[in-house]
């Protein structure tokens, strides 16, 4: 579809063979439209050059179509933290009169076993990458979209022409480890495959930093992997060590919940016998509240869209890595000492 001037809702509806009400509901994020149809409508609107009209008499702002890419391995299980991040990114873009189109990179696409084709039928003004993707795939994105800005969310690299908006993996995990140490729990193990992703590496280094400050060395070497080295398979069937430490510092809540189940199989209670902390505060609604670190997905999304639009409009240059801090959640999985 080519660019059109003064594109209206009825133009989009006619092109897709749906009602104007359906188009309006899809673009405004209302219920009653399937995810597949909503994505088709958003994509068509972007291709046709549709933008929202303000009713306050002010000059309307330019509308942009922003491509968003996430690896399938991060979103194939529900609920997904990165899909939650994408939801907020899409909402934030709509607030600013722009639209997003999502590309889920399958293992075949990410490994470039298939020809790179993300957004080839769209005229995107910028690309957002959520989470860590294979280096070869990122290079393909940079080659295909060298003339538009690229913003990475919850991932950072060394490219100086890209922006990186990340969660505070290092500082957050240092706080979670210090929380355990403050409660007198010094016999610790880290749960996570350390070199599989930059996020897990950062969280492990935050764990080590807290141990350094406390003068503890042995716990640095107590590591339980939770996925394969490529970071693609979660929940490897790892056995707990014969001697169970008093506390587990887990790189994510999914792994923390898996550890708790394994401890139950060994007849151990959490937190009475063993304390466990997680990271991400996700997924929600999993029974007893974990003691964990809550990331602020809304701020992450808002800053990402703000950065993207300013880059598109040429009002700023890449600013490197910006960290979005979160907060500690004191749940029920740590044995807290009574305070007098």
């Amino acid at each position: 579809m080519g660019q059109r001037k003064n594109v209206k809702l009825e133009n989009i509806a006619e092109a897709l063979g749906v009602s104007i009400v359906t188009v309006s509901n899809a673009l405004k994020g209302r219920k009653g439209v399937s995810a597949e149809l909503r994505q088709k409508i958003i994509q068509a609107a972007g291709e046709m050059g549709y933008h929202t009209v303000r009713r306050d008499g002010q000059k309307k702002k330019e509308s942009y179509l922003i491509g968003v890419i996430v690896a399938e391995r991060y979103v194939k299980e529900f609920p997904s933290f990165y899909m939650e991040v994408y939801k907020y990114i899409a909402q934030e873009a709509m607030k600013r009169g722009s639209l997003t189109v999502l590309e889920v990179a399958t293992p075949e696409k990410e490994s470039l076993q298939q020809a790179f084709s993300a957004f080839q039928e769209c005229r995107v003004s910028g690309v957002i990458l959520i989470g860590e993707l294979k280096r070869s795939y990122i290079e393909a994105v940079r080659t295909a979209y060298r003339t538009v800005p690229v913003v990475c969310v919850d991932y950072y690299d060394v490219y100086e022409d890209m922006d990186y908006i990340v969660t505070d993996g290092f500082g957050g995990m240092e706080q979670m480890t210090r929380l355990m140490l403050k409660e007198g729990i010094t016999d610790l193990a880290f749960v996570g495959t350390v070199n599989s992703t930059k996020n897990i590496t950062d969280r492990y280094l935050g764990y080590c930093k807290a141990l350094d400050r406390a003068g503890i060395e042995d716990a640095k070497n107590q590591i339980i992997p939770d996925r394969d080295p490529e970071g693609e398979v979660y929940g490897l069937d790892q056995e707990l060590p014969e001697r169970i430490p008093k506390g587990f510092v887990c790189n994510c809540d999914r792994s923390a919940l898996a550890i708790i189940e394994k401890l139950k199989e060994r007849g151990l209670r959490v937190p009475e016998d063993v304390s466990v902390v997680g990271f991400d505060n996700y997924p929600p609604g999993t029974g007893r509240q974990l003691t964990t670190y809550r990331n602020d997905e809304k701020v992450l999304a808002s800053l990402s869209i703000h950065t993207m639009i300013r880059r598109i409009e040429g009002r700023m240059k890449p600013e490197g890595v910006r960290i979005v801090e979160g907060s500690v959640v004191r749940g029920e999985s740590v044995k807290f000492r009574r305070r007098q």
Side-chain angles (χ1 to χ4, degrees):
M1 301 178 191
Q3 292 280 354
R4 298 175 60 174
K5 294 182 178 180
N6 299 321
V7 176
K8 300 179 180 179
L9 294 181
E10 49 261 43
N11 300 133
I12 303 170
E14 182 180 353
L16 295 178
V18 298
S19 70
I20 295 174
V21 172
T22 297
V23 173
S24 177
N25 287 341
L27 296 179
K28 292 180 179 179
R30 293 173 179 165
K31 297 180 179 179
V33 184
S34 69
E36 182 179 0
L37 180 56
R38 187 186 305 277
Q39 195 64 31
K40 286 182 179 179
I41 291 171
I42 290 174
Q43 182 170 335
E47 292 173 0
M48 295 172 71
Y50 172 80
H51 53 261
T52 56
V53 178
R54 298 182 61 168
R55 297 181 179 180
D56 56 7
Q58 297 183 26
K59 184 179 179 180
K60 59 190 177 187
K61 294 183 178 180
E62 189 68 32
S63 177
Y64 306 106
L65 179 64
I66 300 169
V68 182
I69 303 176
V70 62
E72 182 184 63
R73 64 179 179 274
Y74 298 132
V75 299
K76 63 183 179 181
E77 293 186 19
F78 182 85
S80 161
F81 174 70
Y82 281 156
M83 281 306 295
E84 190 77 1
V85 171
Y86 171 69
K87 181 186 76 173
Y88 287 122
I89 285 175
Q91 290 176 353
E92 194 64 31
M94 274 191 179
K95 289 179 185 177
R96 298 168 185 247
S98 294
L99 303 170
T100 59
V101 57
L102 178 65
E103 166 81 6
V104 176
T106 64
E108 293 76 21
K109 290 180 179 179
E110 194 181 354
S111 300
L112 299 181
Q113 296 174 29
Q114 300 177 3
F116 181 81
S117 60
F119 318 124
Q120 295 297 299
E121 297 182 357
C122 305
R123 186 175 296 181
V124 296
S125 300
V127 177
I128 291 177
L129 306 179
I130 302 179
E132 186 166 345
L133 291 141
K134 291 185 182 299
R135 175 58 66 87
S136 57
Y137 188 84
I138 294 175
E139 290 290 354
V141 172
R142 287 169 54 79
T143 299
Y145 295 102
R146 59 169 60 92
T147 60
V148 304
V150 177
V151 175
C152 297
V153 178
D154 207 29
Y155 167 75
Y156 66 92
D157 215 309
V158 297
Y159 303 107
E160 295 183 355
D161 58 345
M162 293 163 57
D163 284 280
Y164 309 97
I165 316 297
V166 302
T167 54
D168 191 9
F170 180 93
M173 191 56 84
E174 182 183 1
Q175 290 184 58
M176 298 310 301
T177 308
R178 288 174 61 188
L179 179 148
M180 293 279 249
L181 298 175
K182 186 177 180 180
E183 298 305 320
I185 306 166
T186 59
D187 179 16
L188 299 173
F190 180 82
V191 181
T193 303
V194 173
N195 294 317
S196 60
T197 69
K198 284 185 172 63
N199 277 346
I200 296 178
T201 300
D202 284 350
R203 294 173 188 185
Y204 173 70
L205 292 175
Y207 167 77
C208 290
K209 178 65 174 179
L211 294 176
D212 280 339
R213 294 181 62 176
I216 298 172
E217 289 293 327
D218 292 346
K220 294 180 184 179
N221 299 318
Q222 296 197 83
I223 302 171
I224 300 175
D226 67 342
R227 65 199 73 195
D228 69 8
E230 299 297 320
E232 296 183 1
V233 179
Y234 292 87
L236 295 181
D237 191 19
Q238 295 287 335
E239 292 297 326
L240 295 179
E242 186 64 29
R243 188 192 71 80
I244 301 295
K246 290 297 183 181
F248 290 90
V249 178
C250 304
N251 82 92
C252 67
D253 287 351
R254 190 185 298 274
S255 294
L257 294 172
I259 286 292
I260 290 173
E261 288 303 312
K262 288 184 176 293
L263 290 171
K264 288 180 180 178
E265 293 172 4
R266 294 276 289 267
L268 296 169
R269 301 167 299 165
V270 174
E272 292 84 356
D273 302 317
V274 182
S275 293
V276 178
V277 298
F279 203 96
D280 292 333
N281 194 40
Y282 207 85
T286 53
R288 287 196 308 171
Q289 173 66 58
L290 281 170
T291 299
T292 185
Y293 188 81
R294 179 191 291 119
N295 292 313
D296 198 328
E297 302 101 316
K298 292 183 179 180
V299 172
L300 199 69
S302 177
L303 183 56
S304 300
I305 289 296
H306 174 77
T307 299
M308 174 58 73
I309 291 178
R310 287 179 64 84
R311 286 284 313 281
I312 291 171
E313 296 176 346
R315 290 186 288 162
M316 65 176 285
K317 295 180 179 179
E319 296 186 349
V321 179
R322 275 166 289 173
I323 298 173
V324 176
E325 294 183 354
S327 57
V328 174
V329 177
R330 288 172 63 97
E332 302 172 277
S333 59
V334 170
K335 187 176 181 180
F336 291 103
R337 294 186 291 197
R338 291 183 180 180
R339 305 284 190 245
Q340 292 185 350

